[in-house]
Amino acid sequence: MENTGTKQSAKTQQIRLIFGDCTFGIKGEGFHYIFSYTRGGLESLNKNGKEWLYRETLPTFWRALTDNDRGNGFGFQSAMWLGAGMYQKVKNIRVFVNERPIEMPIAPVNNQYTSQEYAETAEIIFSLEINTVPKTTVDVAYQVNGSGEIFVKMNYHGKKGLPELPLLGLRFIMPTQATYFEYEGLSGETYPDRMAGGAEGIYKVEGLPVPPYLVPQDCGVHMKTKWLKITRDTTLNNADTSKEEFSLRFEQVNGEFAFSALPFKAEELENATHIEELPPERRTVLVMMAKVRGVGGIDSWGADVEEAYHINAEEDHEFCFLIK
């Protein structure tokens, strides 16, 4: 196998590559990332000693049903997408070093590498099989450069016969609650069919607010976003008592994105029939969205969301963004 990494002698070498038996590590000044071959995503995103992930990053397809969704039977129609997001299978993995493919560096192949392998860029692409009927796949690529930026690209492959998608995005579950988040986009809560009242600007939102609906449902979506910065001041490290704020920034690539930042996963909102059934607020659940279904609201007794605000699961969809 060709060793595409190099030793640290050249000035252009910026990131260190760690080829584990089940993981691929990338380390540089102020950052350390770990990708899991078995789980199919980024499982550790450590910036300046602060961990940003509590679970691995994976595609997500479900948003909690709204009153209007329940009224028009959308949950019955598209229920398979709830389970599809919870149970995904790693189908294939490709690794690139300096934009050149290398043989999959698992044992025993990884034994050819030293503990001092360096490169200018590294990329890992996960192909995930989604257990729908019929089955489909999603490819998620992560490319890292010497400054620690992560370019993320997700490709969803449509299949004939699949029901409409509630949502298409990538989910980041963070260890502790955000103290606030800032973004440039539309004010307030907006959806594809609820943007007229949003004013463009830069906004700061304290905490992770959840509207006190009697029956919990999807909420907190922000459309037409150019950048987002999540700020926390706590970790799960008992030795870290600094309470200093630290942030992670997400930026648009080839078009604006939507996002939600909440203390609950969509499954937790879905499972609660009353607000007191929600679990304690402990995490930050960020969903970076390529697409999200409209909420409708023409009536709550059967009217569907207007056609322009559906997500066709039979078509291919692509989504890119940058983590800084």
Side-chain angles (χ1 to χ4, degrees):
M1 182 187 78
E2 182 181 7
N3 187 334
T4 55
T6 54
K7 304 300 181 287
Q8 200 178 5
S9 56
K11 292 182 180 180
T12 56
Q13 296 156 355
Q14 299 176 20
I15 56 177
R16 179 183 170 194
L17 310 180
I18 303 100
F19 298 101
D21 289 346
C22 300
T23 58
F24 178 41
I26 301 176
K27 189 173 185 178
E29 186 175 354
F31 67 90
H32 187 186
Y33 309 143
I34 301 176
F35 298 89
S36 170
Y37 299 143
T38 56
R39 295 182 180 273
L42 179 61
E43 69 175 8
S44 177
L45 196 168
N46 192 295
K47 299 280 283 185
N48 298 316
K50 308 289 189 178
E51 179 58 61
W52 278 95
L53 291 179
Y54 186 71
R55 292 285 187 268
E56 66 278 359
T57 55
L58 287 172
T60 185
F61 312 101
W62 189 259
R63 65 154 178 75
L65 296 180
T66 64
D67 288 339
N68 198 67
D69 292 327
R70 298 184 186 100
N72 63 42
F74 179 71
F76 183 84
Q77 170 194 331
S78 293
M80 73 169 66
W81 288 115
L82 175 57
M86 297 172 67
Y87 306 102
Q88 304 176 40
K89 181 179 179 180
V90 180
K91 187 176 181 181
N92 186 41
I93 300 172
R94 290 170 286 163
V95 177
F96 295 77
V97 175
N98 291 332
E99 301 184 355
R100 300 170 63 183
I102 64 171
E103 185 178 356
M104 183 62 188
I106 56 174
V109 173
N110 61 335
N111 293 330
Q112 301 181 46
Y113 294 100
T114 71
S115 61
Q116 299 296 317
E117 302 287 343
Y118 292 83
E120 295 179 37
T121 64
E123 181 177 16
I124 184 167
I125 304 174
F126 296 96
S127 292
L128 303 170
E129 186 175 66
I130 311 303
N131 193 23
T132 50
V133 181
K135 288 183 173 62
T136 188
T137 57
V138 176
D139 298 329
V140 185
Y142 305 85
Q143 186 180 72
V144 181
N145 62 25
S147 66
E149 294 178 340
I150 308 175
F151 174 72
V152 183
K153 183 176 182 180
M154 185 170 75
N155 288 94
Y156 165 87
H157 302 284
K159 283 290 181 68
K160 185 73 174 177
L162 288 176
E164 293 175 19
L165 279 157
L167 178 147
L168 178 61
L170 195 69
R171 186 164 72 181
F172 297 76
I173 301 178
M174 301 173 181
T176 59
Q177 284 186 270
T179 53
Y180 60 88
F181 61 88
E182 300 164 280
Y183 69 97
E184 182 175 0
L186 297 180
S187 60
E189 179 183 85
T190 50
Y191 282 81
D193 53 355
R194 290 291 183 273
M195 292 195 293
E200 293 186 3
I202 297 175
Y203 299 96
K204 179 179 179 179
V205 179
E206 298 289 342
L208 300 170
V210 177
Y213 298 126
L214 179 63
V215 179
Q217 54 193 285
D218 193 62
C219 57
V221 173
H222 301 272
M223 301 294 299
K224 299 186 69 175
T225 306
K226 296 179 180 178
W227 58 263
L228 161 70
K229 186 169 75 170
I230 303 283
T231 298
R232 296 162 47 217
D233 64 4
T234 58
T235 71
L236 294 183
N237 180 1
N238 291 333
D240 185 356
T241 59
S242 65
K243 298 294 286 186
E244 293 180 351
E245 292 184 345
F246 52 99
S247 302
L248 194 65
R249 183 180 171 103
F250 300 77
E251 293 185 358
Q252 66 176 7
V253 175
N254 298 330
E256 298 159 328
F257 59 88
F259 77 93
S260 67
L262 299 169
F264 307 117
K265 297 183 290 185
E267 302 95 294
E268 292 169 330
L269 290 169
E270 190 69 45
N271 190 55
T273 59
H274 293 86
I275 192 168
E276 66 270 16
E277 295 178 7
L278 289 169
E281 298 183 7
R282 295 177 294 182
R283 318 284 178 223
T284 299
V285 180
L286 169 66
V287 179
M288 295 288 290
M289 303 178 191
K291 303 277 184 179
V292 58
R293 174 181 166 88
V295 293
I298 299 170
D299 60 51
S300 294
W301 302 272
D304 198 359
V305 172
E306 293 185 8
E307 188 62 34
Y309 309 114
H310 293 211
I311 309 173
N312 190 339
E314 298 181 335
E315 298 177 351
D316 294 347
H317 300 283
E318 183 178 295
F319 182 39
C320 304
F321 59 91
L322 189 67
I323 306 175
K324 300 184 70 171

